[in-house]
Amino acid sequence: MDTVSLAALRAEFALRLAELYGNEVPAYNTLVEVSREVNTDVAAAQGVRAERLGSIDRVTAERHGAIRVGSPRELAQAARVFAGFGMHPVGFYDLRDASKSSVPVVSTAFRPIDADELAKNPFRVFTSMLVTTDRRFFDADTQARLEEFIDARTLFGAELLELADRSAERGGLDTLDAERFVELATAAFELFTEPVDHDWYFHLEEISAVAADIGGVPSTHINHLTPRVLDIDALYERMEARGITMIDEIQGPPDWEGPDVLLRQTSFKALAEERQFRHADGSVRPGSLRVRFGEVEQRGVALTAKGRDLYDRMVAETDARLATAAANGTTRVEVAREVWRENLPSTECELALRGLAFFTYAVTRAARFGEAHGGDSTTLGELIESGVLHPEPIVYEDFLPRSAAGIFQSNLTDEGTRDDEELGTAYDIEKLSQVIGRPIADPTALYAAQQQASLTAAAQALGLRSI
Ligand code: OOG
Ligand code: NI
């Protein structure tokens, strides 16, 4: 029987989730429609340039989802499900401190790792786990009730987990199993219909709306699904023109004339959705919740550790200037643009020469035909400047903690409560790897390895020992 590959399973999973989510949150369909329009226009205006950070086919199909789970056991099971689609944990994000508001979670993202798998379908899911032990958010009684509630539910059934394990082990499934696997996995992220315990939900919501969305409801659900656009500023304007109000500003780097780096994101606020609530007197009545929202993103080149350090300093500088500039009506984006112009090189080539961003390096035609000079050059800079090697940007495939914290705000109506006098629970990439039962990859190490592999191949093609 034919085997359905991990990439084909992943693409089908992303499609089914989109179908499900579009039915549940119709504004998502508008977002996708406007994203398509923007991408078509950018491709028409820029031609091949538009595809420098991924083919139009890849970008058009590209989505990320977000889910939230309640315990180490649930996170470890989610990891098994995603592994069945060739999606592995990459990056560690601690959102407890990344914002002034109450977001009591630590997160990772499940995504393909190899360049060719990413090119086939880059579907990724930002996955957050509630930290019930964190005393800044939960007192001992709430912690105990949360753990009891979460331990009693089953997010992922035995059949789903078995199929996922088989798929991961064999690198795909036969057609019948593949259909069943995608069906069960999609259903696991569908919105629940059971009534929500009113008092418990709102007890949690007072502490944190994110905690209520995780520990106050019977199952997990896809929280948002994010298309990728090639021009997020154009998308923002077109959505507003259609009467959909976006959050105040675009998160991440500002709009400027230099290269796109990392990730820019924006979202529209969660819409009120009806749910059934069970009240203390036993009655079940409808009420409304605001949980799910729409998000969109534009991706740029991945930064090296040195580039990321510069980025973090530019963000801090923007904050510092904003503290004084805000008084005269200047916006964050305007201040950031000024900081960017002062600090960040305005071309990709310079980003490469200064070791600030990751690239793969193609040996140019001129070099192959011996026309370019620099035969005895050995430094990367000389090879780039003499036209022997041409840098191609490596797209940033991950997330930004500060933007993620900003995106979480899309469904928070107030800040919740956090008692900073209390002690938090320490988490880092190693500890979360132990929870998942497999190592979480470091994104920077993945980009560095990809860049190094291309440099090794280029050195070989040019007959150099190394570059
Ligand atoms: C996740 C928020 C983070 C992003 O794109 O940064 C995120 C959530 O709301 O569960 O999805
Ligand atoms: Ni997101």
Side-chain angles (χ1 to χ4, degrees):
M1 219 191 253
D2 285 349
T3 300
V4 182
S5 68
L6 295 175
L9 286 167
R10 189 164 63 246
E12 185 60 24
F13 181 41
L15 275 180
R16 299 274 185 102
L17 284 175
E19 207 178 305
L20 175 110
Y21 196 63
N23 287 333
E24 292 179 353
V25 184
Y28 165 76
N29 293 330
T30 312
L31 195 60
V32 170
E33 205 180 298
V34 178
S35 302
R36 286 228 174 92
E37 283 171 24
V38 168
N39 290 345
T40 309
D41 291 353
V42 173
Q46 296 187 356
V48 285
R49 245 198 88 74
E51 303 199 85
R52 293 164 42 63
L53 291 157
S55 70
I56 286 293
D57 284 351
R58 171 189 156 161
V59 172
T60 306
E62 185 158 347
R63 301 284 181 274
H64 87 245
I67 63 156
R68 303 161 175 183
V69 298
S71 65
R73 179 180 69 104
E74 290 182 352
L75 182 61
Q77 290 183 345
R80 283 167 66 190
V81 171
F82 291 131
F85 293 106
M87 297 156 75
H88 309 286
V90 181
F92 170 76
Y93 308 88
D94 192 336
L95 299 181
R96 294 172 299 169
D97 298 320
S99 110
K100 289 193 290 301
S101 303
S102 196
V103 183
V105 301
V106 291
S107 314
T108 185
F110 292 91
R111 68 165 177 86
I113 283 180
D114 298 339
D116 57 332
E117 285 292 313
L118 283 160
K120 283 181 201 153
N121 186 293
F123 187 47
R124 48 175 95 70
V125 178
F126 191 91
T127 303
S128 302
M129 182 187 81
L130 188 68
V131 186
T132 54
T133 49
D134 200 309
R135 277 287 172 269
R136 292 172 298 179
F137 302 98
F138 309 111
D139 59 30
D141 180 53
T142 304
Q143 180 197 343
R145 285 174 67 196
L146 260 175
E147 289 172 359
E148 191 190 343
F149 184 92
I150 289 163
D151 286 346
R153 70 186 185 188
T154 302
L155 301 185
F156 309 103
E159 188 186 359
L160 170 59
L161 293 171
E162 271 160 36
L163 285 166
D165 291 347
R166 195 179 316 153
S167 177
E169 201 182 290
R170 299 187 187 166
L173 290 171
D174 66 43
T175 14
L176 277 181
D177 284 346
E179 174 52 35
R180 183 81 182 137
F181 177 42
V182 174
E183 182 187 312
L184 290 173
T186 307
F189 299 110
E190 201 171 337
L191 197 66
F192 50 89
T193 48
E194 301 96 313
V196 174
D197 181 326
H198 181 275
D199 293 356
W200 173 231
Y201 187 93
F202 287 98
H203 166 66
L204 290 175
E205 204 199 34
E206 226 165 86
I207 302 168
S208 155
V210 175
D213 183 44
I214 300 172
V217 299
S219 64
T220 186
H221 55 89
I222 186 102
N223 174 273
H224 61 267
L225 204 60
T226 301
R228 179 171 160 198
V229 273
L230 296 171
D231 182 348
I232 199 166
D233 303 289
L235 178 122
Y236 192 99
E237 279 167 28
R238 290 191 200 189
M239 288 298 282
E240 295 258 320
R242 285 196 182 209
I244 297 182
T245 310
M246 308 300 281
I247 56 172
D248 294 345
E249 53 189 29
I250 293 169
Q251 312 271 329
D255 170 29
W256 79 308
E257 54 291 342
D260 285 325
V261 301
L262 299 173
L263 177 65
R264 302 180 65 209
Q265 299 178 311
T266 191
S267 60
F268 60 78
K269 285 257 184 199
L271 309 169
E273 303 173 50
E274 190 180 286
R275 298 278 194 287
Q276 296 299 322
F277 286 99
R278 187 183 308 285
H279 291 261
D281 62 6
S283 66
V284 175
R285 285 174 280 155
S288 101
L289 286 184
R290 285 176 190 273
V291 175
R292 290 155 345 142
F293 51 85
E295 183 197 32
V296 65
E297 67 191 13
Q298 178 177 349
R299 292 187 170 267
V301 62
L303 297 184
T304 59
K306 187 175 160 201
R308 183 54 187 261
D309 197 50
L310 173 60
Y311 175 81
D312 290 339
R313 275 185 282 125
M314 290 194 300
V315 170
E317 175 65 20
T318 303
D319 284 346
R321 285 193 202 175
L322 198 63
T324 54
N328 59 37
T330 320
T331 66
R332 158 174 289 282
V333 172
E334 285 162 349
V335 174
R337 191 179 296 130
E338 191 182 282
V339 174
W340 250 245
R341 284 179 180 149
E342 287 166 28
N343 293 281
L344 199 64
S346 61
T347 64
E348 272 177 8
C349 209
E350 264 177 279
L351 284 178
L353 289 169
R354 285 180 45 191
L356 293 171
F358 287 114
F359 295 86
T360 55
Y361 289 92
V363 178
T364 59
R365 263 188 85 210
R368 252 178 275 136
F369 289 102
E371 290 158 21
H373 302 290
D376 47 7
S377 315
T378 43
T379 72
L380 179 60
E382 282 163 343
L383 291 167
I384 297 172
E385 277 178 340
S386 60
V388 172
L389 290 184
H390 181 67
E392 307 274 359
I394 297 179
V395 67
Y396 187 61
E397 307 283 358
D398 296 285
F399 293 86
L400 296 173
R402 182 159 160 157
S403 302
I407 293 300
F408 263 107
Q409 307 307 314
S410 305
N411 73 288
L412 304 189
T413 38
D414 64 44
E415 292 193 347
T417 52
R418 180 173 66 193
D419 183 355
D420 288 328
E421 301 289 298
E422 294 283 350
L423 274 185
T425 315
Y427 257 104
D428 60 14
I429 193 167
E430 273 81 34
K431 188 164 169 199
L432 202 65
S433 297
Q434 279 165 18
V435 164
I436 293 179
R438 55 193 89 191
I440 298 176
D442 168 13
T444 310
L446 296 179
Y447 300 123
Q450 195 184 344
Q451 172 168 287
Q452 192 48 52
S454 102
L455 283 173
T456 306
Q460 214 164 34
L462 295 169
L464 298 171
R465 216 174 311 142
S466 69
I467 297 175

